[in-house]
């Protein structure tokens, strides 16, 4: 078990509408939210890009210039911070995501390690959104890994289901990736792995023994026992307005800082200290 817990803050996500929820969009807003999370203990900022035109902040962007501006603003606000860049794109055109990683060279980037039917059903037994496939074929995964390897970016393997966890080991076996291994167990998506703490020992057993791991817990107040168990089992921690708006008591938060304070408390209850940015760089093996 790692004594120091590295905390990642997922600042904004891709599905949340800033007109409905208090998620940051502009470089200034991203830097302000990152600073609140940084001061609360987060060493890594996971960023999504939004369109910057008026009334377009609910739409994703893959403009390299937007990525550079947001990263610069966050780095100025949070000395030594580690950037974890989004890469998730459905469909055959993901060149924009590759360009952002290639041109900005973040320390870490998400690498969605397998495909998932991305589904949710409402209480009235109708689809919450039109059924969609989050497609991540092996060829697509390899394209991402090749670009990350070329620029020295560490992939964070996003695993939405148990079989995807096993795929990561196969990528290693066939030589698609040979660097530091980091698994992110994404739990709480309705059509993926449930946010069930009892599932964690199985996932830990299935990952490569040398790999670091963390949990992304998606949901409301029910996710907090999962965060606590993750801390107790030696995993690294992640939360933020991409993943939830709620604390364990059901309080709706207004800032990423409140969520990071709560997840840091999980680590401390498990007897672990919070890693500084410099310590996080050593733990994750980034050479920048």
């Amino acid at each position: 078990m790692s004594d120091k817990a590295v905390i990642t803050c997922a600042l904004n996500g891709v599905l949340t509408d800033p007109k409905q929820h208090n998620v940051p969009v502009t470089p200034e807003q991203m830097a302000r939210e990152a600073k609140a999370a940084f001061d609360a203990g987060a060493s890594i900022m996971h960023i999504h890009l939004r369109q910057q035109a008026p009334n377009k902040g609910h739409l994703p962007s893959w403009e390299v210039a937007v990525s550079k501006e947001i990263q610069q603003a966050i780095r100025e606000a949070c000395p030594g911070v580690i950037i974890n860049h989004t890469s998730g794109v459905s469909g055959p055109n993901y060149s924009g995501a590759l360009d952002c990683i290639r041109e900005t060279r973040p320390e870490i980037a998400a690498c969605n390690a397998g495909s998932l039917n991305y589904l949710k059903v409402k209480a009235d037994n109708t689809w919450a959104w039109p059924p969609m496939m989050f497609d991540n074929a092996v060829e697509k995964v390899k394209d991402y890994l090749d670009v990350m390897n070329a620029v020295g970016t560490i992939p964070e393997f996003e695993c939405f289901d148990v079989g995807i966890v096993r795929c990561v080991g196969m990528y290693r076996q066939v030589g698609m990736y040979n660097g530091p291994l980091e698994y992110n167990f994404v739990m709480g998506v309705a059509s993926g792995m449930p946010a069930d703490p009892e599932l964690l020992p199985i996932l830990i057993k299935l990952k490569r023994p040398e790999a670091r791991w963390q949990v992304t817990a998606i949901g409301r107040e029910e996710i907090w026992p999962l965060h606590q168990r993750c801390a107790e089992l030696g995993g690294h921690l992640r939360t933020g307005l991409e993943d939830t708006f709620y604390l364990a008591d059901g309080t709706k938060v207004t800032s990423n800082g409140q969520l990071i304070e709560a997840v840091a408390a999980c680590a401390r209850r498990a007897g672990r200290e919070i890693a500084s940015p410099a310590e996080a760089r050593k733990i994750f093996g980034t050479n920048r």
Side-chain angles (χ1 to χ4, degrees):
M1 175 172 127
S2 174
D3 291 334
K4 295 288 181 81
V6 178
I7 298 178
T8 296
C9 181
L11 289 168
N12 58 349
V14 70
L15 298 175
T16 44
D17 187 339
K19 291 184 178 180
Q20 297 178 334
H21 302 285
N22 192 35
V23 294
V25 171
T26 68
E28 295 78 14
Q29 292 167 349
M30 293 287 279
R32 183 182 65 243
E33 281 294 298
K35 181 66 163 58
F38 188 78
D39 290 346
S43 296
I44 302 174
M45 303 298 159
H46 177 61
I47 63 170
H48 285 255
L49 314 176
R50 305 295 189 86
Q51 294 186 22
Q52 300 294 301
N55 299 316
K56 297 292 185 181
H58 62 293
L59 298 174
S61 171
W62 292 107
E63 293 185 40
V64 172
V66 171
S67 180
K68 288 181 176 179
E69 289 174 16
I70 286 173
Q71 291 190 52
Q72 180 179 350
I74 291 173
R75 292 186 192 281
E76 289 176 357
C78 308
V81 73
I82 298 168
I83 298 293
N84 178 327
H85 204 291
T86 183
S87 70
V89 179
S90 294
N93 183 8
Y94 46 95
S95 60
L98 294 178
D99 288 343
C100 282
I101 295 168
R102 185 183 294 110
E103 297 299 323
T104 71
R105 300 167 59 92
E107 292 94 336
I108 300 171
C111 183
N112 294 285
S115 299
L116 182 76
N117 283 317
Y118 206 86
L119 311 174
K120 185 176 181 179
V121 176
K122 296 188 294 185
D124 63 0
N125 295 323
T126 62
W127 294 117
W129 53 75
M132 62 170 286
M133 168 64 78
F134 185 25
D135 57 309
N136 295 287
V138 172
E139 295 79 10
K140 186 175 183 180
V141 174
K142 186 176 186 303
D143 287 342
Y144 279 113
L145 291 175
D146 287 347
V147 168
M148 293 179 199
N149 183 61
V151 299
T153 294
I154 295 173
E156 177 186 88
F157 287 101
E158 314 293 321
C159 300
F160 292 82
D161 218 336
V162 175
I164 299 176
V165 176
R166 301 176 75 187
C167 288
V168 174
M170 297 182 198
Y171 300 152
R172 173 77 98 192
Q173 281 182 278
V174 301
M176 285 172 56
Y177 177 69
N178 295 305
L181 268 181
E182 177 191 350
Y183 290 74
N184 181 21
F185 303 139
V186 183
M187 306 173 72
V189 174
S191 54
M193 292 189 290
D196 184 348
E198 293 185 11
L199 188 55
L200 282 180
I202 297 171
L203 299 176
I204 295 167
K205 180 180 178 180
L206 292 175
K207 76 175 184 66
R208 296 277 294 208
E210 73 275 18
R212 297 170 302 279
W213 63 279
Q214 68 175 24
V215 166
T216 290
I218 298 172
R220 296 194 174 208
E221 54 267 30
E222 75 276 1
I223 65 175
W224 288 96
L226 176 58
H227 284 304
Q228 187 62 53
R229 190 62 178 139
C230 173
E232 293 166 357
L233 292 175
H236 299 292
L237 300 166
R238 164 181 150 159
T239 192
L241 294 176
E242 176 176 5
D243 304 333
T244 191
F245 299 109
Y246 297 93
L247 297 174
D249 64 0
T251 301
K252 188 173 183 179
V253 302
T254 58
S255 170
N256 281 286
Q258 296 163 276
L259 292 169
I260 297 303
E261 288 175 0
V263 85
C266 290
R268 295 188 177 104
R269 283 194 295 270
R272 298 173 66 191
E273 297 180 8
I274 309 304
S276 69
E279 291 168 333
R281 289 175 185 275
K282 291 181 180 178
I283 291 168
F284 277 67
T286 178
N287 55 11
R288 299 186 207 145

